[in-house]
């Protein structure tokens, strides 16, 4: 069977099991944490894929990767994944869950890159602008990158707005070269 199909089925089952339990948001945060930990800690994947490690150790690693206090539902789900020997797919399951949850709740992932830190009010205005254009909720990530010199870069969905001084200077430079 295809890795994508299996991970999506498990993610969909987890999403359905959270419905009406009041744990939707918590499980979403836990799956985002798992996905982030897989991306940030390559040794996690190696440990989970290691056939020499017993299931209890793998369960402990995955529960730790969920965050401080994983919900009982997440604990039971991880036990199910381990029981069915699907632990090598856990990274894909977590990513699939995040994607399905965002689709269901109409959540858009956005990113604002600035040369210096912005005030919370400015960040909120940008978030509101994106929400009004997309009719959804925006999860905003801010990043400070002094290399853009000034201005900002706003990314969400498939849209990218580059109003940085660096890109404008590069545009002027390319025009002068012509």
């Amino acid at each position: 069977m295809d890795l994508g199909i299996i991970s999506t089925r498990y993610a969909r089952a987890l999403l359905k099991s959270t419905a009406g339990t009041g744990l939707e948001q918590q499980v979403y945060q836990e799956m985002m944490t798992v996905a982030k930990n897989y991306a940030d800690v390559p040794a996690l994947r190696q440990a989970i894929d290691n056939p020499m490690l017993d299931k209890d150790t793998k369960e402990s690693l995955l529960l730790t990767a969920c965050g401080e206090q994983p919900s009982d539902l997440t604990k039971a789900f991880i036990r199910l994944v381990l029981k069915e020997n699907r632990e090598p797919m856990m990274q894909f399951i977590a990513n699939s869950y995040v994607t399905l949850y965002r689709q269901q709740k109409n959540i858009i992932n956005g990113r604002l890159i600035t040369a210096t830190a912005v005030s919370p009010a400015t960040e909120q205005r940008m978030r509101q602008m994106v929400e009004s254009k997309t009719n959804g909720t925006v999860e905003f990530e801010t990043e400070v990158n002094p290399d853009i010199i000034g201005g900002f870069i706003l990314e969400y969905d498939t849209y990218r707005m580059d109003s940085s001084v660096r890109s404008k200077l590069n545009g002027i430079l390319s025009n002068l070269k012509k």
Side-chain angles (χ1 to χ4, degrees):
M1 249 193 165
D2 184 26
L3 178 69
I5 293 172
I6 294 170
S7 60
T8 302
R9 283 184 181 168
Y10 275 82
R12 205 172 266 132
L14 179 59
L15 186 62
K16 284 183 182 178
S17 66
T18 62
T21 62
L23 294 172
E24 289 177 322
Q25 182 66 26
Q26 182 179 355
V27 173
Y28 172 61
Q29 292 296 328
E30 291 165 355
M31 289 299 116
M32 281 197 325
T33 304
V34 168
K36 184 175 179 351
N37 282 326
Y38 264 103
D40 293 348
V41 185
L44 175 61
R45 181 170 189 72
Q46 294 169 348
I48 297 301
D49 288 349
N50 185 347
M52 300 302 287
L53 282 180
D54 62 293
K55 299 282 185 187
D56 291 337
T57 304
K58 290 180 181 185
E59 180 180 350
S60 175
L61 283 171
L62 288 171
L63 289 174
T64 302
C66 288
E68 290 187 23
Q69 292 291 334
S71 65
D72 290 338
L73 181 61
T74 300
K75 291 176 185 176
F77 180 74
I78 287 173
R79 280 188 220 105
L80 171 71
V81 168
L82 289 165
K83 179 181 168 229
E84 298 296 325
N85 294 317
R86 300 292 191 191
E87 65 270 15
M89 299 178 182
M90 193 60 205
Q91 178 181 11
F92 303 104
I93 293 169
N95 284 322
S96 294
Y97 182 88
V98 169
T99 300
L100 290 171
Y101 182 87
R102 286 179 176 164
Q103 287 172 348
Q104 184 183 51
K105 301 293 184 184
N106 196 20
I107 297 173
I108 293 103
N109 199 17
R111 192 165 83 148
L112 177 64
I113 305 167
T114 57
T116 60
V118 295
S119 69
T122 303
E123 184 180 330
Q124 183 62 28
R125 278 197 311 267
M126 296 298 270
R127 177 180 283 115
Q128 288 171 344
M129 181 188 74
V130 173
E131 286 177 350
S132 70
K133 290 186 183 293
T134 61
N135 295 322
T137 306
V138 176
E139 285 184 348
F140 230 46
E141 183 180 314
T142 58
E143 181 182 326
V144 175
N145 182 353
D147 292 342
I148 68 170
I149 303 170
F152 65 91
I153 301 171
L154 176 65
E155 300 173 333
Y156 64 91
D157 215 8
T158 58
Y159 179 78
R160 179 181 164 101
M161 177 184 194
D162 190 343
S163 291
S164 66
V165 172
R166 181 180 183 176
S167 69
K168 291 181 185 194
L169 289 173
N170 286 338
I172 292 169
L173 182 63
S174 67
N175 282 338
L176 289 174
K177 285 182 179 180
K178 291 179 184 178

